[in-house]
Amino acid sequence: MRKLKYSLYTLLCTLMIAVVFNSCKKVLDQSENLSQYPPGNVFNDLSLSNAYLANLYGTALPVGWPVNDGNSADESGGITGLDAITPSSGRSFWPYDTIRKLNIFISSIPTGTLPDATKSNLIAQAKFLRAFLYFKAVVFHGGVPIIKVAQGLTDDLKVPRNSTAECFTFIEADLNEAETALPPKYSGNDRGRIDQAIVKAFRGRVLLYKASPQFNSGNPYDNQYWAAAYKANSEAKTFLDANGYGLLENYSNIFTVKGNKECIMSIIGLNPGRVNLRGDDAVRPLSESKNATGGDQPIWSLVQAYPMLDGKKISDPTSAYTYNEQTFWLNRDPRFAQTIVYNGAPFALSGKAGRRQYTMKNIASSLDAFGFAIQGENSYRTGFFTSKGLNLALPAPPTTSDYDWNEIRYAEVLFNLAESANETGRSNESLAVLMAIRKRAGILPGADGMYGLKAGMSRTEMRNAILDEKYLEFAFEGKRYWDLRRHRLFATKLNGIHKYGMMATLVNGRTADQVNQTDISSAAAYSLLPDNFGYTVTELITSGAKAMVVPDTYYFFPIPLTFLNQNPNLKQNIAWGGTFNPEL
């Protein structure tokens, strides 16, 4: 493969319109919209072609961490209410503007004068982006119209939906064609470009969804697609291992060390230009931020889900550690302290050495306190914050973190392999994955070397163990809701649940209204410890609707009425009053 002349950094810097990097002017300083250039002005010139492609990267791929995605699941405090999703409002994904630009690029590059190897590489990247968009649309809605060429004003724009099976075939074909023209692994300044490692890992995700109960409700775990999912994920792991990928030794460093060996597909942060992909300003406590807070605040059920240090559940009487609700933070899975910030926990934001985070009324900053008299009856502050992915050293308010967002990391490939292995009679491989994940987390192996896992798990038990482990490993990384949806577990895991936090109600035996100056001074000196407080599990919503409403109709979102009205050839999904079957 001929190496492209321009690095990813240069590609990003050429993007002067939609993505950012306004200070980077290495190649292009144009005011016109690149999507309107005639082919002769763009596709004969590598810098202009790269600029066009950078625009497409910016609109096709995620912009950063999915802050507050956990509100839809059992991670953070938001409540999904009645009729949160309808054909008139709610979740939809209809990316045809970007798909049109990708189709222009794919069809126009061959007409230019760039070297053949360069053309093939650029087209391959664009085909991956097209597959990425189609896959997300299918996950949202089921089958959607397949459009392979840019439509003109004289074309028939009222295109019907293709079947879900046809869409998966199309996505897989784009990925297969893309892989053949890409290098195994980009690094250095090219890191972030689509390469074979990304394609293989993403194919494993696609085929896992294809096999899942979401698309196969009549035969959820014995259908023909599981074998292909296992093959894809096994091949992806083998390829990644051979190219230097693997589990990073330190869990926290995954999110703060750029380009580490666990990062497969990264959205690159750059300073200046593209910063704060984590949403630090929205996730930090408001006392160390500005304008907004409350993002990704853990709820009590997530806090409880972390096992003890020996890997046993907090309710397991065989654990070597005794769990106590009043000292819930002691002797837990090390990922707990690397993710959950609780009252009195160390949280050295803004470079403040020794800083502790308080949440009790009259002890904490009023901006951070969890108390209904402070925040109103309908707030969902939980008594917890998260440190995951944050740049703690940034001053308040944070604006300059250049940490990346890892859309695909090596651990996801392991979990995808574990799921597909379990459903194809290879539970020994699934167990090996869970043990590797727990070993990296710092959970103790125990005398039996099982890291707290049960020996001889059934297929169903292993399936549940995989989902439970992924819940913790990927907390706030935008996996949980979609995993429960993919496995059709809304009825048992989300629908009807109430959400709770942990309110610090006493300090040294005194209530919030009895706090004295000594308590306040001790808090200012960060000398109050978590066990100086007493705690009460508290429901987060105290008036109005309190329960999550997540019906089975949400396994496929409806096609918005706007699009149905524009195109009478589109058919609505069955669960939403139409005739289209979104399953395979």
Side-chain angles (χ1 to χ4, degrees):
M1 172 59 61
R2 177 180 179 272
K3 182 175 175 65
L4 290 183
K5 178 181 178 182
Y6 293 91
S7 70
L8 178 64
Y9 180 80
T10 302
L11 181 150
L12 292 172
C13 288
T14 61
L15 180 53
M16 306 303 296
I17 303 169
V19 181
V20 281
F21 311 132
N22 290 326
S23 64
C24 304
K25 300 185 179 181
K26 291 187 176 181
V27 179
L28 180 67
D29 188 6
Q30 308 281 347
S31 59
E32 295 91 348
N33 186 338
L34 285 177
S35 67
Q36 303 303 317
Y37 274 98
N41 288 354
V42 174
F43 303 111
N44 295 332
D45 184 287
L46 181 56
S47 63
L48 294 179
S49 295
N50 266 328
Y52 189 110
L53 184 60
N55 195 324
L56 299 176
Y57 267 79
T59 56
L61 298 181
V63 297
W65 284 68
V67 177
N68 285 332
D69 191 75
N71 289 348
S72 300
D74 48 2
E75 293 173 293
S76 51
I79 297 293
T80 300
L82 183 65
D83 294 330
I85 297 173
T86 72
S88 299
S89 63
R91 288 187 158 179
S92 66
F93 189 71
W94 209 250
Y96 284 97
D97 179 63
T98 302
I99 286 173
R100 181 177 188 276
K101 293 175 182 177
L102 284 164
N103 286 335
I104 290 173
F105 188 83
I106 291 167
S107 62
S108 298
I109 283 291
T111 68
T113 59
L114 297 174
D116 288 344
T118 301
K119 290 179 182 179
S120 297
N121 182 286
L122 294 172
I123 291 170
Q125 293 179 65
K127 285 193 172 182
F128 175 89
L129 297 177
R130 187 169 68 178
F132 191 92
L133 291 172
Y134 267 104
F135 172 67
K136 185 174 179 180
V138 170
V139 168
F140 268 58
H141 303 293
V144 294
I146 296 174
I147 301 175
K148 301 179 182 180
V149 296
Q151 292 178 302
L153 294 178
T154 59
D155 294 333
D156 181 6
L157 304 181
K158 295 181 174 61
V159 181
R161 297 174 72 175
N162 287 83
S163 70
T164 299
E166 289 170 333
C167 288
F168 272 114
T169 298
F170 177 66
I171 292 164
E172 292 173 58
D174 262 1
L175 294 177
N176 293 340
E177 291 169 17
E179 183 180 349
T180 62
L182 294 170
K185 178 182 181 180
Y186 278 120
S187 60
N189 286 337
D190 285 316
R191 187 177 65 84
R193 282 186 185 268
I194 306 303
D195 53 27
Q196 287 185 24
I198 292 172
V199 174
K200 287 179 180 292
F202 182 70
R203 181 188 290 114
R205 181 193 288 183
V206 169
L207 293 183
L208 189 77
Y209 268 82
K210 184 178 180 180
S212 72
Q214 180 187 1
F215 292 96
N216 303 277
S217 63
N219 187 12
Y221 295 114
D222 292 305
N223 63 69
Q224 61 182 317
Y225 305 117
W226 282 107
Y230 171 77
K231 181 175 184 291
N233 283 292
S234 181
E235 290 178 353
K237 180 183 181 300
T238 299
F239 182 88
L240 294 168
D241 291 345
N243 283 276
Y245 293 96
L247 290 176
L248 193 65
E249 291 74 16
N250 185 307
Y251 181 70
S252 290
N253 287 352
I254 298 168
F255 316 103
T256 60
V257 176
K258 294 167 71 70
N260 67 73
K261 67 179 181 179
E262 192 155 338
C263 306
I264 298 172
M265 181 180 180
S266 297
I267 311 302
I268 306 297
L270 287 175
N271 183 20
R274 186 167 191 159
V275 296
N276 199 15
L277 303 187
R278 175 62 179 105
D280 294 59
D281 50 348
V283 174
R284 280 187 173 206
L286 189 53
S287 65
E288 298 292 332
S289 187
K290 67 174 183 177
N291 298 336
T293 189
D296 287 349
Q297 289 198 11
I299 60 173
W300 182 235
S301 59
L302 174 60
V303 172
Q304 289 180 297
Y306 286 88
M308 303 304 288
L309 184 57
D310 60 1
K312 301 293 183 68
K313 292 182 182 296
I314 61 174
S315 59
D316 189 338
T318 69
S319 174
Y321 302 93
T322 301
Y323 173 78
N324 185 323
E325 192 173 90
Q326 290 301 307
T327 54
F328 58 85
W329 59 88
L330 292 180
N331 300 315
R332 302 297 291 275
D333 173 347
R335 290 172 297 186
F336 177 97
Q338 294 171 308
T339 305
I340 308 294
V341 178
Y342 48 92
N343 180 65
F347 199 20
L349 290 170
S350 308
K352 296 177 180 177
R355 181 185 181 278
R356 291 181 178 272
Q357 180 64 52
Y358 299 110
T359 62
M360 182 179 173
K361 176 185 175 183
N362 293 336
I363 292 293
S365 162
S366 62
L367 300 173
D368 301 347
F370 175 29
F372 293 126
I374 300 171
Q375 62 196 25
E377 296 294 305
N378 291 307
S379 175
Y380 55 84
R381 191 159 297 171
T382 70
F384 300 103
F385 295 95
T386 186
S387 58
K388 191 172 187 179
L390 296 181
N391 188 337
L392 303 186
L394 293 179
T399 57
T400 57
S401 174
D402 67 348
Y403 291 169
D404 300 339
W405 159 243
N406 298 313
E407 171 62 23
I408 305 177
R409 59 183 177 95
Y410 184 83
E412 180 191 340
V413 177
L414 291 186
F415 275 100
N416 294 347
L417 175 60
E419 282 198 42
S420 53
N422 184 55
E423 306 306 342
T424 54
R426 300 174 176 89
S427 60
N428 58 320
E429 294 186 41
S430 307
L431 180 61
V433 166
L434 295 184
M435 291 173 66
I437 292 291
R438 287 192 160 203
K439 180 180 180 180
R440 189 272 294 280
I443 290 174
L444 300 179
D448 59 0
M450 293 292 292
Y451 295 89
L453 296 164
K454 178 183 174 182
M457 283 187 276
S458 69
R459 184 184 183 190
T460 299
E461 287 174 326
M462 179 61 77
R463 183 184 304 135
N464 292 334
I466 292 167
L467 286 174
D468 288 347
E469 195 69 31
K470 192 175 180 184
Y471 180 30
L472 307 178
E473 175 71 20
F474 284 90
F476 305 115
E477 293 182 64
K479 302 294 186 188
R480 179 63 171 176
Y481 175 82
W482 304 97
D483 284 341
L484 297 180
R485 185 174 182 259
R486 178 168 55 84
H487 281 274
R488 291 183 173 261
L489 291 174
F490 284 168
T492 57
K493 294 290 188 179
L494 292 183
N495 194 45
I497 69 168
H498 292 224
K499 293 188 175 183
Y500 297 85
M502 179 60 92
M503 189 177 291
T505 53
L506 296 172
V507 57
N508 294 321
R510 290 181 286 276
T511 67
D513 294 335
Q514 297 169 335
V515 165
N516 60 31
Q517 187 57 48
T518 299
D519 299 323
I520 295 172
S521 298
S522 296
Y526 305 131
S527 61
L528 287 176
L529 303 180
D531 53 6
N532 292 132
F533 296 82
Y535 301 93
T536 303
V537 176
T538 305
E539 186 163 4
L540 300 180
I541 306 298
T542 59
S543 64
K546 301 177 184 179
M548 290 279 282
V549 181
V550 193
D552 288 355
T553 53
Y554 288 8
Y555 290 134
F556 289 98
F557 302 140
I559 303 295
L561 288 177
T562 301
F563 303 134
L564 294 176
N565 292 335
Q566 292 172 349
N567 180 0
N569 289 328
L570 290 178
K571 304 300 181 184
Q572 184 60 277
N573 286 331
I574 292 173
W576 296 93
T579 59
F580 188 88
N581 181 1
E583 296 190 44
L584 289 166

